mmCIF file of all heavy atoms in Angstrom:
data_model
loop_
_atom_site.group_PDB
_atom_site.id
_atom_site.type_symbol
_atom_site.label_atom_id
_atom_site.label_comp_id
_atom_site.label_asym_id
_atom_site.label_seq_id
_atom_site.Cartn_x
_atom_site.Cartn_y
_atom_site.Cartn_z
ATOM 1 N N ALA A 50 -63.732 72.019 32.707
ATOM 2 C CA ALA A 50 -64.718 71.249 31.947
ATOM 3 C C ALA A 50 -66.141 71.627 32.353
ATOM 4 O O ALA A 50 -67.062 71.572 31.529
ATOM 5 C CB ALA A 50 -64.489 69.757 32.166
ATOM 6 N N ILE A 51 -66.332 72.012 33.615
ATOM 7 C CA ILE A 51 -67.658 72.439 34.076
ATOM 8 C C ILE A 51 -68.041 73.743 33.397
ATOM 9 O O ILE A 51 -69.152 73.890 32.866
ATOM 10 C CB ILE A 51 -67.667 72.587 35.606
ATOM 11 C CG1 ILE A 51 -67.410 71.233 36.271
ATOM 12 C CG2 ILE A 51 -68.984 73.196 36.084
ATOM 13 C CD1 ILE A 51 -67.234 71.304 37.776
ATOM 14 N N HIS A 52 -67.121 74.709 33.401
ATOM 15 C CA HIS A 52 -67.404 75.988 32.750
ATOM 16 C C HIS A 52 -67.629 75.803 31.254
ATOM 17 O O HIS A 52 -68.549 76.399 30.675
ATOM 18 C CB HIS A 52 -66.243 76.956 32.993
ATOM 19 C CG HIS A 52 -65.991 77.247 34.439
ATOM 20 N ND1 HIS A 52 -66.892 77.928 35.226
ATOM 21 C CD2 HIS A 52 -64.943 76.949 35.241
ATOM 22 C CE1 HIS A 52 -66.400 78.037 36.453
ATOM 23 N NE2 HIS A 52 -65.230 77.440 36.481
ATOM 24 N N TYR A 53 -66.805 74.976 30.634
ATOM 25 C CA TYR A 53 -66.937 74.716 29.205
ATOM 26 C C TYR A 53 -68.324 74.128 28.907
ATOM 27 O O TYR A 53 -69.015 74.567 27.975
ATOM 28 C CB TYR A 53 -65.839 73.759 28.748
ATOM 29 C CG TYR A 53 -65.775 73.548 27.251
ATOM 30 C CD1 TYR A 53 -64.941 74.333 26.457
ATOM 31 C CD2 TYR A 53 -66.538 72.570 26.625
ATOM 32 C CE1 TYR A 53 -64.867 74.147 25.077
ATOM 33 C CE2 TYR A 53 -66.473 72.377 25.252
ATOM 34 C CZ TYR A 53 -65.637 73.164 24.495
ATOM 35 O OH TYR A 53 -65.587 72.974 23.134
ATOM 36 N N GLY A 54 -68.731 73.152 29.702
ATOM 37 C CA GLY A 54 -70.020 72.512 29.479
ATOM 38 C C GLY A 54 -71.185 73.464 29.652
ATOM 39 O O GLY A 54 -72.135 73.456 28.854
ATOM 40 N N PHE A 55 -71.129 74.296 30.687
ATOM 41 C CA PHE A 55 -72.211 75.258 30.897
ATOM 42 C C PHE A 55 -72.314 76.222 29.720
ATOM 43 O O PHE A 55 -73.409 76.494 29.211
ATOM 44 C CB PHE A 55 -71.980 76.056 32.188
ATOM 45 C CG PHE A 55 -72.517 75.400 33.427
ATOM 46 C CD1 PHE A 55 -71.749 75.306 34.574
ATOM 47 C CD2 PHE A 55 -73.808 74.887 33.458
ATOM 48 C CE1 PHE A 55 -72.238 74.709 35.724
ATOM 49 C CE2 PHE A 55 -74.318 74.284 34.604
ATOM 50 C CZ PHE A 55 -73.526 74.201 35.743
ATOM 51 N N VAL A 56 -71.174 76.760 29.287
ATOM 52 C CA VAL A 56 -71.204 77.760 28.218
ATOM 53 C C VAL A 56 -71.657 77.145 26.896
ATOM 54 O O VAL A 56 -72.440 77.749 26.155
ATOM 55 C CB VAL A 56 -69.831 78.438 28.087
ATOM 56 C CG1 VAL A 56 -69.783 79.346 26.857
ATOM 57 C CG2 VAL A 56 -69.523 79.252 29.345
ATOM 58 N N VAL A 57 -71.187 75.939 26.596
ATOM 59 C CA VAL A 57 -71.610 75.288 25.353
ATOM 60 C C VAL A 57 -73.116 75.029 25.362
ATOM 61 O O VAL A 57 -73.781 75.159 24.324
ATOM 62 C CB VAL A 57 -70.822 73.971 25.147
ATOM 63 C CG1 VAL A 57 -71.473 73.108 24.077
ATOM 64 C CG2 VAL A 57 -69.380 74.282 24.753
ATOM 65 N N ASN A 58 -73.666 74.696 26.498
ATOM 66 C CA ASN A 58 -75.092 74.371 26.560
ATOM 67 C C ASN A 58 -75.987 75.592 26.728
ATOM 68 O O ASN A 58 -77.094 75.637 26.168
ATOM 69 C CB ASN A 58 -75.342 73.374 27.692
ATOM 70 C CG ASN A 58 -74.905 71.968 27.335
ATOM 71 O OD1 ASN A 58 -75.623 71.248 26.668
ATOM 72 N ND2 ASN A 58 -73.712 71.580 27.762
ATOM 73 N N LEU A 59 -75.530 76.591 27.477
ATOM 74 C CA LEU A 59 -76.334 77.795 27.666
ATOM 75 C C LEU A 59 -76.271 78.723 26.455
ATOM 76 O O LEU A 59 -77.182 79.510 26.232
ATOM 77 C CB LEU A 59 -75.863 78.560 28.907
ATOM 78 C CG LEU A 59 -76.132 77.898 30.264
ATOM 79 C CD1 LEU A 59 -75.431 78.676 31.371
ATOM 80 C CD2 LEU A 59 -77.629 77.831 30.538
ATOM 81 N N ARG A 60 -75.164 78.655 25.717
ATOM 82 C CA ARG A 60 -74.951 79.479 24.531
ATOM 83 C C ARG A 60 -75.169 80.967 24.812
ATOM 84 O O ARG A 60 -75.939 81.653 24.110
ATOM 85 C CB ARG A 60 -75.829 79.028 23.359
ATOM 86 C CG ARG A 60 -75.660 77.570 22.964
ATOM 87 C CD ARG A 60 -76.394 77.224 21.692
ATOM 88 N NE ARG A 60 -75.790 77.899 20.560
ATOM 89 C CZ ARG A 60 -74.744 77.442 19.878
ATOM 90 N NH1 ARG A 60 -74.178 76.287 20.225
ATOM 91 N NH2 ARG A 60 -74.251 78.119 18.865
ATOM 92 N N PRO A 61 -74.524 81.508 25.827
ATOM 93 C CA PRO A 61 -74.713 82.927 26.140
ATOM 94 C C PRO A 61 -74.095 83.835 25.079
ATOM 95 O O PRO A 61 -73.059 83.511 24.491
ATOM 96 C CB PRO A 61 -73.979 83.079 27.481
ATOM 97 C CG PRO A 61 -72.914 82.026 27.436
ATOM 98 C CD PRO A 61 -73.534 80.869 26.707
ATOM 99 N N ARG A 62 -74.709 84.973 24.872
ATOM 100 C CA ARG A 62 -74.140 85.967 23.950
ATOM 101 C C ARG A 62 -72.999 86.722 24.622
ATOM 102 O O ARG A 62 -72.050 87.125 23.951
ATOM 103 C CB ARG A 62 -75.218 86.945 23.509
ATOM 104 C CG ARG A 62 -76.337 86.328 22.667
ATOM 105 C CD ARG A 62 -77.445 87.331 22.461
ATOM 106 N NE ARG A 62 -78.016 87.749 23.750
ATOM 107 C CZ ARG A 62 -78.828 88.786 23.909
ATOM 108 N NH1 ARG A 62 -79.163 89.528 22.860
ATOM 109 N NH2 ARG A 62 -79.315 89.097 25.094
ATOM 110 N N ARG A 63 -73.113 86.964 25.931
ATOM 111 C CA ARG A 63 -72.062 87.658 26.675
ATOM 112 C C ARG A 63 -71.771 86.871 27.947
ATOM 113 O O ARG A 63 -72.690 86.363 28.615
ATOM 114 C CB ARG A 63 -72.490 89.080 27.069
ATOM 115 C CG ARG A 63 -72.639 90.052 25.949
ATOM 116 C CD ARG A 63 -71.334 90.494 25.317
ATOM 117 N NE ARG A 63 -70.563 91.426 26.111
ATOM 118 C CZ ARG A 63 -70.672 92.755 26.026
ATOM 119 N NH1 ARG A 63 -71.588 93.296 25.231
ATOM 120 N NH2 ARG A 63 -69.892 93.542 26.726
ATOM 121 N N VAL A 64 -70.490 86.774 28.259
ATOM 122 C CA VAL A 64 -70.023 86.127 29.474
ATOM 123 C C VAL A 64 -69.120 87.104 30.197
ATOM 124 O O VAL A 64 -68.380 87.875 29.574
ATOM 125 C CB VAL A 64 -69.245 84.830 29.153
ATOM 126 C CG1 VAL A 64 -68.698 84.197 30.429
ATOM 127 C CG2 VAL A 64 -70.125 83.841 28.402
ATOM 128 N N LEU A 65 -69.167 87.076 31.522
ATOM 129 C CA LEU A 65 -68.298 87.909 32.353
ATOM 130 C C LEU A 65 -67.422 87.027 33.214
ATOM 131 O O LEU A 65 -67.911 86.089 33.850
ATOM 132 C CB LEU A 65 -69.139 88.823 33.242
ATOM 133 C CG LEU A 65 -68.387 89.649 34.286
ATOM 134 C CD1 LEU A 65 -67.428 90.637 33.618
ATOM 135 C CD2 LEU A 65 -69.371 90.380 35.200
ATOM 136 N N ALA A 66 -66.116 87.312 33.231
ATOM 137 C CA ALA A 66 -65.181 86.636 34.138
ATOM 138 C C ALA A 66 -64.366 87.699 34.852
ATOM 139 O O ALA A 66 -63.771 88.566 34.200
ATOM 140 C CB ALA A 66 -64.266 85.687 33.375
ATOM 141 N N ILE A 67 -64.346 87.627 36.172
ATOM 142 C CA ILE A 67 -63.562 88.575 36.963
ATOM 143 C C ILE A 67 -62.448 87.818 37.673
ATOM 144 O O ILE A 67 -62.709 86.957 38.514
ATOM 145 C CB ILE A 67 -64.444 89.309 37.979
ATOM 146 C CG1 ILE A 67 -65.504 90.141 37.256
ATOM 147 C CG2 ILE A 67 -63.600 90.207 38.889
ATOM 148 C CD1 ILE A 67 -66.427 90.920 38.179
ATOM 149 N N GLY A 68 -61.209 88.120 37.308
ATOM 150 C CA GLY A 68 -60.043 87.569 37.976
ATOM 151 C C GLY A 68 -59.547 86.266 37.388
ATOM 152 O O GLY A 68 -60.326 85.366 37.093
ATOM 153 N N SER A 69 -58.217 86.191 37.191
ATOM 154 C CA SER A 69 -57.570 84.946 36.777
ATOM 155 C C SER A 69 -56.067 85.168 36.794
ATOM 156 O O SER A 69 -55.591 86.190 36.293
ATOM 157 C CB SER A 69 -58.001 84.520 35.374
ATOM 158 O OG SER A 69 -57.371 83.312 34.998
ATOM 159 N N ARG A 70 -55.341 84.222 37.363
ATOM 160 C CA ARG A 70 -53.892 84.377 37.459
ATOM 161 C C ARG A 70 -53.238 84.494 36.080
ATOM 162 O O ARG A 70 -52.631 85.493 35.745
ATOM 163 C CB ARG A 70 -53.298 83.194 38.225
ATOM 164 C CG ARG A 70 -51.835 83.369 38.569
ATOM 165 C CD ARG A 70 -51.184 82.037 38.916
ATOM 166 N NE ARG A 70 -51.920 81.301 39.908
ATOM 167 C CZ ARG A 70 -51.778 81.433 41.239
ATOM 168 N NH1 ARG A 70 -50.927 82.292 41.713
ATOM 169 N NH2 ARG A 70 -52.478 80.685 42.056
ATOM 170 N N HIS A 71 -53.375 83.454 35.252
ATOM 171 C CA HIS A 71 -52.807 83.468 33.910
ATOM 172 C C HIS A 71 -53.876 83.278 32.826
ATOM 173 O O HIS A 71 -53.534 83.068 31.667
ATOM 174 C CB HIS A 71 -51.756 82.361 33.753
ATOM 175 C CG HIS A 71 -50.489 82.614 34.502
ATOM 176 N ND1 HIS A 71 -50.179 81.964 35.689
ATOM 177 C CD2 HIS A 71 -49.444 83.440 34.249
ATOM 178 C CE1 HIS A 71 -48.998 82.376 36.122
ATOM 179 N NE2 HIS A 71 -48.529 83.265 35.277
ATOM 180 N N GLY A 72 -55.157 83.303 33.193
ATOM 181 C CA GLY A 72 -56.212 83.236 32.187
ATOM 182 C C GLY A 72 -56.757 81.855 31.900
ATOM 183 O O GLY A 72 -57.412 81.659 30.869
ATOM 184 N N TYR A 73 -56.539 80.889 32.791
ATOM 185 C CA TYR A 73 -56.949 79.512 32.505
ATOM 186 C C TYR A 73 -58.457 79.389 32.269
ATOM 187 O O TYR A 73 -58.899 78.932 31.204
ATOM 188 C CB TYR A 73 -56.497 78.595 33.638
ATOM 189 C CG TYR A 73 -56.937 77.154 33.483
ATOM 190 C CD1 TYR A 73 -56.486 76.383 32.422
ATOM 191 C CD2 TYR A 73 -57.807 76.563 34.396
ATOM 192 C CE1 TYR A 73 -56.890 75.065 32.272
ATOM 193 C CE2 TYR A 73 -58.206 75.244 34.260
ATOM 194 C CZ TYR A 73 -57.752 74.502 33.199
ATOM 195 O OH TYR A 73 -58.153 73.199 33.054
ATOM 196 N N ILE A 74 -59.260 79.785 33.238
ATOM 197 C CA ILE A 74 -60.709 79.648 33.072
ATOM 198 C C ILE A 74 -61.232 80.594 31.991
ATOM 199 O O ILE A 74 -62.062 80.170 31.152
ATOM 200 C CB ILE A 74 -61.450 79.848 34.407
ATOM 201 C CG1 ILE A 74 -61.060 78.753 35.404
ATOM 202 C CG2 ILE A 74 -62.966 79.866 34.190
ATOM 203 C CD1 ILE A 74 -61.363 77.336 34.935
ATOM 204 N N PRO A 75 -60.801 81.857 31.915
ATOM 205 C CA PRO A 75 -61.236 82.678 30.781
ATOM 206 C C PRO A 75 -60.911 82.057 29.428
ATOM 207 O O PRO A 75 -61.719 82.130 28.496
ATOM 208 C CB PRO A 75 -60.472 83.996 30.992
ATOM 209 C CG PRO A 75 -60.317 84.089 32.477
ATOM 210 C CD PRO A 75 -60.068 82.671 32.917
ATOM 211 N N ALA A 76 -59.745 81.425 29.293
ATOM 212 C CA ALA A 76 -59.390 80.787 28.026
ATOM 213 C C ALA A 76 -60.321 79.622 27.714
ATOM 214 O O ALA A 76 -60.753 79.447 26.567
ATOM 215 C CB ALA A 76 -57.944 80.307 28.058
ATOM 216 N N VAL A 77 -60.638 78.820 28.721
ATOM 217 C CA VAL A 77 -61.549 77.694 28.509
ATOM 218 C C VAL A 77 -62.935 78.198 28.113
ATOM 219 O O VAL A 77 -63.591 77.643 27.222
ATOM 220 C CB VAL A 77 -61.613 76.811 29.768
ATOM 221 C CG1 VAL A 77 -62.726 75.771 29.650
ATOM 222 C CG2 VAL A 77 -60.275 76.118 30.014
ATOM 223 N N ILE A 78 -63.394 79.251 28.769
ATOM 224 C CA ILE A 78 -64.691 79.837 28.408
ATOM 225 C C ILE A 78 -64.656 80.357 26.978
ATOM 226 O O ILE A 78 -65.612 80.168 26.203
ATOM 227 C CB ILE A 78 -65.061 80.963 29.395
ATOM 228 C CG1 ILE A 78 -65.398 80.364 30.773
ATOM 229 C CG2 ILE A 78 -66.233 81.787 28.867
ATOM 230 C CD1 ILE A 78 -65.607 81.403 31.862
ATOM 231 N N ALA A 79 -63.561 81.008 26.597
ATOM 232 C CA ALA A 79 -63.438 81.514 25.230
ATOM 233 C C ALA A 79 -63.447 80.372 24.220
ATOM 234 O O ALA A 79 -64.013 80.502 23.123
ATOM 235 C CB ALA A 79 -62.167 82.346 25.085
ATOM 236 N N LEU A 80 -62.831 79.244 24.570
ATOM 237 C CA LEU A 80 -62.883 78.071 23.695
ATOM 238 C C LEU A 80 -64.319 77.581 23.517
ATOM 239 O O LEU A 80 -64.716 77.153 22.426
ATOM 240 C CB LEU A 80 -62.014 76.955 24.263
ATOM 241 C CG LEU A 80 -60.507 77.088 24.036
ATOM 242 C CD1 LEU A 80 -59.742 76.113 24.929
ATOM 243 C CD2 LEU A 80 -60.177 76.823 22.570
ATOM 244 N N ALA A 81 -65.097 77.640 24.589
ATOM 245 C CA ALA A 81 -66.499 77.233 24.493
ATOM 246 C C ALA A 81 -67.283 78.180 23.594
ATOM 247 O O ALA A 81 -68.120 77.752 22.788
ATOM 248 C CB ALA A 81 -67.123 77.180 25.882
ATOM 249 N N LEU A 82 -67.019 79.476 23.710
ATOM 250 C CA LEU A 82 -67.685 80.444 22.834
ATOM 251 C C LEU A 82 -67.280 80.217 21.380
ATOM 252 O O LEU A 82 -68.110 80.327 20.471
ATOM 253 C CB LEU A 82 -67.325 81.867 23.275
ATOM 254 C CG LEU A 82 -67.840 82.303 24.647
ATOM 255 C CD1 LEU A 82 -67.264 83.659 25.024
ATOM 256 C CD2 LEU A 82 -69.362 82.343 24.681
ATOM 257 N N LYS A 83 -66.003 79.895 21.171
ATOM 258 C CA LYS A 83 -65.543 79.598 19.816
ATOM 259 C C LYS A 83 -66.250 78.361 19.272
ATOM 260 O O LYS A 83 -66.640 78.319 18.096
ATOM 261 C CB LYS A 83 -64.033 79.397 19.808
ATOM 262 C CG LYS A 83 -63.439 79.209 18.426
ATOM 263 C CD LYS A 83 -61.925 79.129 18.479
ATOM 264 C CE LYS A 83 -61.335 78.975 17.088
ATOM 265 N NZ LYS A 83 -59.855 78.918 17.107
#
Side-chain angles (χ1 to χ4, degrees):
I51 296 173
H52 300 294
Y53 187 93
F55 273 133
V56 172
V57 166
N58 284 278
L59 291 172
R60 304 188 67 85
R62 294 172 300 167
R63 292 289 285 269
V64 177
L65 173 63
I67 297 180
S69 180
R70 189 198 309 273
H71 289 104
Y73 177 64
I74 296 301
V77 171
I78 290 173
L80 282 166
L82 294 173
K83 185 175 181 179

